[in-house]
Amino acid sequence: LRESNGNLKMHSVDTLRSTLRSRLHPTFFGLFCFITILSSNLDRILDPPYWDAVMGVYYQGVWLLHNNFNWLKLFDQPTYVYGGPRVCPYYFYSFIFSFLQLIFQPKAVFLILHLINFLAASFVGGLFFSMLRKSMPVWLAILWVAAGFFNPIFSGQVAAIYLEMPLAFFTALIGYALWQGNPKKAFVFSVMAFFIKPSAFLICLCLFFLFILNSMLRRRDLLRGWIPVKPSLWLLAPMAIVSPLYWSLGTEYMIIRLPEAIKAFPSVVSLLFPDLMLMYLAGIGLAVSCFFLRKYAGSFRPSETRVLIFFLLLTSGFWLSFIVFGQAMPRYATMIVFPQV
């Protein structure tokens, strides 16, 4: 009788797992994320942009609205450093803000921009859930995504109107394309991300470092069959296209001072990213453990090892880019929170 009860319990658990896996589609999970984010941010849903955004992308959008969307004239205006409206002529979001202001009242514009933020964050959660559920139990994938949403940097940017969530959205698309072994799509999404916000240069730089890491490690068993040599050349293409555009913005946008950046990086990490860096170091430890356990004990499945190594490579590329970038701000890490967690 005990044996039959035990078998019944195991059968019930297996049934529950298979039901979760089959019915909890990433789309429904993303919808659940949206409802949760919306309900937890109702008191902020009409908040205007904060100072940095007001003096940046939205100031440029207001100028475009009052100058008949004369984009070419924007290039002749003073930059934001001198109090002018020219922040970045490539900000596609400025045009969205201008058109919304043309049609709606300010409060309605803020509401729409907040909803765009929530949708972008929900999409990030749903997309990473769709990747993780193939490599681990569904309940663990849910907890993993929840940890990303509860990260202070990510949750703070979800509630604020700015460009970090749209950028995280494109980063998720890039990560998913790479996960599928399609660097050509990753190239397209990374260039599109640049026109959302120029700090997407970090992502393009990340892909450059990812190409180097992939080339160094693909001969190992852990990376076998991920991105072959020829398709991986697409990882170099974003830098080739984006770099001239980025440098055309002027030196106030990025001055790479590599020695100073490397010297300051430990203090930046200790003050701003203690949780993310601890996770990164834990990920390195797990990757080493997986390698030895798989090689000598056969304890880890290839899919589990692959997801760990993939996210570790992606975050390694980001942190290398962060150091080289020199002037990266804490909120820029929003785009890498989910792969990091």
Side-chain angles (χ1 to χ4, degrees):
L1 185 61
R2 286 180 181 175
E3 186 178 348
S4 62
N5 285 336
N7 291 335
L8 182 61
K9 287 180 181 178
M10 287 296 294
H11 177 70
S12 300
V13 171
D14 291 339
T15 303
L16 178 63
R17 286 175 178 172
S18 62
T19 302
L20 274 174
R21 189 174 292 275
S22 60
R23 294 191 178 182
L24 192 56
H25 192 273
T27 304
F28 294 114
F29 182 76
L31 181 61
F32 172 76
C33 291
F34 177 77
I35 294 170
T36 305
I37 293 170
L38 178 63
S39 59
S40 61
N41 286 281
L42 284 175
D43 57 333
R44 303 177 185 90
I45 203 165
L46 294 178
D47 285 355
Y50 60 90
W51 176 83
D52 199 26
V54 170
M55 298 303 294
V57 58
Y58 299 108
Y59 181 23
Q60 182 172 296
V62 171
W63 185 91
L64 285 168
L65 176 65
H66 291 287
N67 287 270
N68 299 316
F69 299 94
N70 192 335
W71 182 66
L72 293 177
K73 186 180 176 182
L74 181 63
F75 284 86
D76 299 327
Q77 302 304 307
T79 65
Y80 72 96
V81 176
Y82 303 102
R86 180 162 61 89
V87 181
C88 174
Y90 308 125
Y91 269 148
F92 178 71
Y93 224 65
S94 290
F95 289 94
I96 294 176
F97 183 64
S98 300
F99 280 114
L100 288 175
Q101 276 206 316
L102 186 65
I103 301 169
F104 300 106
Q105 293 296 317
K107 282 189 176 180
V109 174
F110 299 151
L111 173 63
I112 293 168
L113 292 174
H114 274 294
L115 291 176
I116 291 173
N117 249 22
F118 299 162
L119 282 169
S122 304
F123 184 89
V124 171
L127 201 56
F128 275 94
F129 173 73
S130 71
M131 286 189 278
L132 294 171
R133 71 198 285 263
K134 298 172 183 176
S135 305
M136 62 185 65
V138 174
W139 64 268
L140 187 57
I142 293 172
L143 289 177
W144 203 323
V145 172
F149 278 123
F150 280 110
N151 181 274
I153 293 176
F154 194 88
S155 60
Q157 291 303 315
V158 168
I161 297 178
Y162 202 36
L163 303 172
E164 307 309 326
M165 276 304 109
L167 202 55
F169 164 79
F170 277 99
T171 305
L173 286 174
I174 293 165
Y176 191 70
L178 292 174
W179 174 254
Q180 292 179 314
N182 194 332
K184 191 181 293 187
K185 280 186 179 179
F187 154 69
V188 173
F189 291 137
S190 59
V191 173
M192 290 173 67
F194 177 80
F195 290 99
I196 294 296
K197 191 180 181 187
S199 59
F201 185 84
L202 267 175
I203 292 295
C204 300
L205 198 56
C206 174
L207 294 181
F208 174 78
F209 285 121
L210 197 60
F211 169 80
I212 296 173
L213 293 170
N214 179 59
S215 301
M216 289 168 58
L217 299 175
R218 76 171 307 277
R219 296 176 185 175
R220 306 290 182 183
D221 182 54
L222 290 173
L223 287 182
R224 190 171 296 165
W226 182 43
I227 300 181
V229 176
K230 286 185 179 179
S232 69
L233 293 173
W234 281 100
L235 299 177
L236 299 175
M239 280 291 289
I241 292 177
V242 165
S243 293
L245 294 174
Y246 199 86
W247 285 108
S248 71
L249 297 176
T251 54
E252 65 266 23
Y253 291 90
M254 184 185 76
I255 305 173
I256 296 181
R257 301 185 182 95
L258 192 55
E260 291 88 343
I262 293 173
K263 186 178 178 180
F265 187 67
S267 60
V268 170
V269 167
S270 62
L271 289 173
L272 304 174
F273 306 112
D275 57 333
L276 289 178
M277 197 48 59
L278 283 173
M279 291 175 196
Y280 178 66
L281 294 175
I284 293 175
L286 272 174
V288 173
S289 302
C290 284
F291 176 77
F292 283 104
L293 285 171
R294 183 183 171 194
K295 187 170 183 178
Y296 298 108
S299 301
F300 275 78
R301 293 178 299 175
S303 61
E304 292 171 340
T305 310
R306 182 173 178 263
V307 71
L308 180 60
I309 296 298
F310 170 71
F311 285 133
L312 188 61
L313 281 176
L314 194 60
T315 51
S316 297
F318 174 82
W319 288 116
L320 283 170
S321 305
F322 197 92
I323 294 172
V324 172
F325 196 76
Q327 293 185 347
M329 297 183 181
R331 64 172 181 265
Y332 293 178
T334 305
M335 66 182 82
I336 206 69
V337 163
F338 267 81
Q340 180 76 75
V341 171

